[in-house]
């Protein structure tokens, strides 16, 4: 699989980016939206089940894990970062 960030075509506004996965044969699939819709991909987990990405919360970067099915989960939020609930808010 290949993961990349794409924006609307044509671009609508800042904060409308999504993570897309390209599978063998070129099949693409958009994943669940990230909390701020401005993900910065870091890579895959060791078992290739989730994509790690950063998004800002206030002045801090929070690390999220995006499963191939489901919603992203915050896995590291430094002190001073705003809290994130189940809805990603």
């Amino acid at each position: 699989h290949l993961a990349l960030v794409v924006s609307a075509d044509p671009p609508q506004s800042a904060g409308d980016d999504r993570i897309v996965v390209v599978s063998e044969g070129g099949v693409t699939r958009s994943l669940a939206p990230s909390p701020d819709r401005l993900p910065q991909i870091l890579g895959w987990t060791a078992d290739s089940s989730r994509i790690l990405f950063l998004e800002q919360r206030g002045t801090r970067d929070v690390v999220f894990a995006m499963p191939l099915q489901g919603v992203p989960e915050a896995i590291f939020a430094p002190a001073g970062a705003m809290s994130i609930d189940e809805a990603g808010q």
Side-chain angles (χ1 to χ4, degrees):
H1 298 297
L2 172 70
L4 59 138
V5 174
V6 297
S7 60
D9 185 21
Q12 303 294 317
S13 62
D16 195 27
D17 296 348
R18 298 202 56 143
I19 297 175
V20 171
V21 174
V22 181
S23 300
E24 281 188 49
V27 177
T28 61
R29 182 168 48 105
S30 290
L31 302 183
S34 60
D36 287 341
R37 295 188 183 212
L38 288 170
Q40 300 171 41
I41 295 176
L42 299 173
W44 291 85
T45 56
D47 64 0
S48 298
S49 67
R50 301 185 296 170
I51 299 163
L52 302 174
F53 67 94
L54 288 177
E55 278 195 340
Q56 284 198 325
R57 285 289 190 221
T59 59
R60 314 253 190 224
D61 285 331
V62 176
V63 178
F64 290 86
M66 174 75 78
L68 296 177
Q69 301 287 331
V71 297
E73 169 191 5
I75 60 172
F76 175 75
M82 299 167 62
S83 64
I84 301 163
D85 63 18
E86 291 179 7
Q89 306 294 320

